[in-house]
Amino acid sequence: SDSPSRQSSTRHVAQSVEQAAEALAKQKSSGETNKDDHIRVLLAIDQDKDWGLADLDCLVRRNIELFCASEDDVSEANKTREMGEQISLNQVGIRCINCAASTEYDGYCLYPQCLDDLFPAVRAFKSKHLHSCPCFPPDQKARFESLKESSSASFGSVVRDYYLRSAEALGLRNDKSGGIRSTGVSKPIDGGYKKTAE
């Protein structure tokens, strides 16, 4: 059957953490997150492999994009949320780049409440969605299934620390009122924790 039509197939991917941080902040200022001319901001960055993330985790991160919640996103997300868990305008979420670009399927997205929640949010994305995403390209799905069999996942305090540092490199910060916000300011990743060759 034909693959789902894609709204975002022509969108460019940010080529650096600095460009990504700026692009995400522009989403916030424009209030629109699905325009074709917007730069797509992936969770994955060039340093993922340098810090020793497993191939499986690198692939998963490449299939996740960051976005700032629009008024429509907030309305949709809060339909099933309790008052204390309400999403607010411009709160940063993560979503599947595959079904987010589809006009035929509801996209999968999560709103981590703080930067420390990004790590478990990505784990949930991997276990609950990616393997069954109807828009996951067949070649990538085959690669994903192969890596699940042959590649161990990344764990440990260094990996969690890297998730925090890479998020800050993308301009993300915790909001004192709850949730994650985009600042547009990339914080350089300290190389002190970089995994070295044995």
Side-chain angles (χ1 to χ4, degrees), residues 13 20 36 45 53-54 60 63 76 86 110 115 117 128 154 171:
V13 173
D36 287 347
I45 64 175
L53 293 194
V60 171
N63 280 274
E76 183 64 28
Q86 296 279 294
L110 293 171
L115 294 179
D117 287 345
K128 296 180 179 180
S154 307

Side-chain angles (χ1 to χ4, degrees), residues 20-30 41 68 170 182-185:
E22 291 176 5
L24 198 60
K26 286 181 180 178
Q27 282 188 21
K28 178 176 66 175
S29 63
S30 69
V41 178
C68 293
L170 290 166
S182 170
T183 66
V185 180

Side-chain angles (χ1 to χ4, degrees), residues 50-52 194-198:
D50 294 337
W51 278 64
K194 183 175 179 179
K195 184 177 180 179
T196 56
E198 298 293 336

Side-chain angles (χ1 to χ4, degrees), residues 11-32 37-42 45 66-68 92 166-173 181-187:
R11 290 169 63 199
H12 299 293
V13 173
Q15 297 301 304
S16 68
V17 288
E18 294 81 9
Q19 184 186 33
E22 291 176 5
L24 198 60
K26 286 181 180 178
Q27 282 188 21
K28 178 176 66 175
S29 63
S30 69
E32 299 174 334
D37 58 352
H38 281 160
I39 295 174
R40 168 169 278 165
V41 178
L42 300 184
I45 64 175
L66 300 163
F67 70 100
C68 293
V92 172
S166 61
E168 291 177 335
L170 290 166
L172 304 183
R173 304 290 189 275
R181 301 289 169 178
S182 170
T183 66
V185 180
S186 176
K187 182 179 179 180

Side-chain angles (χ1 to χ4, degrees), residues 56 131-132 140-150:
L56 177 60
H131 68 94
S132 59
Q140 287 202 55
K141 184 171 184 178
R143 173 70 172 159
F144 174 73
E145 296 296 341
S146 174
L147 287 173
K148 280 205 305 182
E149 297 295 327
S150 62

Side-chain angles (χ1 to χ4, degrees), residues 19-110:
Q19 184 186 33
E22 291 176 5
L24 198 60
K26 286 181 180 178
Q27 282 188 21
K28 178 176 66 175
S29 63
S30 69
E32 299 174 334
T33 62
N34 294 308
K35 289 292 188 182
D36 287 347
D37 58 352
H38 281 160
I39 295 174
R40 168 169 278 165
V41 178
L42 300 184
L43 183 63
I45 64 175
D46 290 342
Q47 290 92 331
D48 284 1
K49 286 296 293 181
D50 294 337
W51 278 64
L53 293 194
D55 289 341
L56 177 60
D57 293 296
C58 289
L59 184 151
V60 171
R61 284 168 60 91
R62 287 195 300 270
N63 280 274
I64 294 174
E65 72 175 329
L66 300 163
F67 70 100
C68 293
S70 66
E71 291 182 356
D72 287 344
D73 293 326
V74 170
S75 177
E76 183 64 28
N78 287 340
K79 286 179 181 178
T80 58
R81 292 176 183 268
E82 301 294 334
M83 282 301 296
E85 301 175 345
Q86 296 279 294
I87 300 306
S88 58
L89 185 65
N90 293 322
Q91 186 169 334
V92 172
I94 65 172
R95 64 186 173 199
C96 176
I97 64 170
N98 303 297
C99 52
S102 171
T103 58
E104 299 181 27
Y105 299 98
D106 292 332
Y108 178 92
C109 66
L110 293 171

